[in-house]
Amino acid sequence: YTLCFFGLVFPSVLEKCPEGVVNGILTFVGLQGILPGTGNQLIDRMVLLITAPSEFPDAQNKTNVAPFLALPWHRIHLYTFIQLLCLAACWGMRFTGPFALAFPLVIVGFVPLRLWLLPKLFSAEELALLDSDEKVQEAPTAKMDKNKGTTGNKDEVVANLNYQLDLQEPIKQIDTDLI
């Protein structure tokens, strides 16, 4: 990416590079944006459209998986279809002749869709999982002992509670009598 920026700042250097090298870099950067598993959630969810629900990655037993996998598959597919309709609206604008100049208005029209329509179709928790860019990491676990309660050091227990409760603000202090 640094070399791509260098070519923008000094175009005369870019002219000395063979065309195949420039095309190769642009192909690599383009493929990195659209291949499944490279961080583009829309593409990942589109792959799930043609995948049997029994073959979905198991979010419960794996680390570093997309957070939306915790949702039922029909909710994931509904969100994906809505996004594909929005993409089709954007792409379809190019065929409208002089109305193609209204493309920015279509993009602005997606703001009320996200703010008012999607919250009526999905819960806040579902939207948080569907919109999240972060991968789910394995939470530290604290073991349960029937006689003594939760075992493990204080930090592990607090981290486990924060993970289970999905708190926006972590617990700062916990009563040490419980541990």
Side-chain angles (χ1 to χ4, degrees):
Y1 291 110
T2 304
L3 292 176
C4 290
F5 176 74
F6 187 72
L8 292 174
V9 176
F10 303 105
S12 60
V13 175
L14 190 60
E15 292 172 358
K16 293 182 179 12
C17 290
E19 187 177 340
V21 172
V22 175
N23 290 340
I25 290 172
L26 293 175
T27 302
F28 173 76
V29 171
L31 288 176
Q32 284 298 93
I34 64 170
L35 289 176
T38 58
N40 187 336
Q41 284 191 16
L42 179 60
I43 299 295
D44 293 342
R45 285 187 274 110
M46 285 173 54
V47 168
L48 291 179
L49 285 173
I50 58 172
T51 304
S54 62
E55 300 294 321
F56 282 12
D58 186 11
Q60 305 300 327
N61 298 328
K62 292 187 179 180
T63 59
N64 207 23
V65 295
F68 60 80
L69 289 171
L71 296 173
W73 62 270
H74 64 278
R75 303 300 284 167
I76 297 170
H77 291 343
L78 176 62
Y79 189 78
T80 304
F81 281 126
I82 291 170
Q83 279 194 317
L84 289 175
L85 286 174
C86 292
L87 179 63
C90 290
W91 188 71
M93 286 296 293
R94 65 183 282 230
F95 300 114
T96 60
F99 294 110
L101 294 174
F103 172 76
L105 296 176
V106 173
I107 298 297
V108 170
F110 293 152
V111 174
L113 174 92
R114 174 59 179 89
L115 292 178
W116 293 307
L117 182 63
L118 287 182
K120 293 181 193 273
L121 297 173
F122 298 97
S123 69
E125 293 82 19
E126 288 175 328
L127 285 173
L129 290 173
L130 289 165
D131 284 344
S132 177
D133 287 338
E134 297 180 18
K135 301 284 187 184
V136 175
Q137 301 295 330
E138 184 177 23
T141 59
K143 299 172 187 150
M144 288 296 283
D145 186 9
K146 289 182 183 178
N147 299 328
K148 297 180 182 176
T150 306
T151 60
N153 69 30
K154 181 180 176 179
D155 294 333
E156 285 178 340
V157 173
V158 171
N160 192 32
L161 286 172
N162 286 335
Y163 179 78
Q164 289 175 358
L165 298 174
D166 193 26
L167 295 174
Q168 296 297 326
E169 184 177 307
I171 296 174
K172 302 292 185 210
Q173 229 177 14
I174 190 168
D175 188 3
T176 55
D177 296 339
L178 297 174
I179 300 177

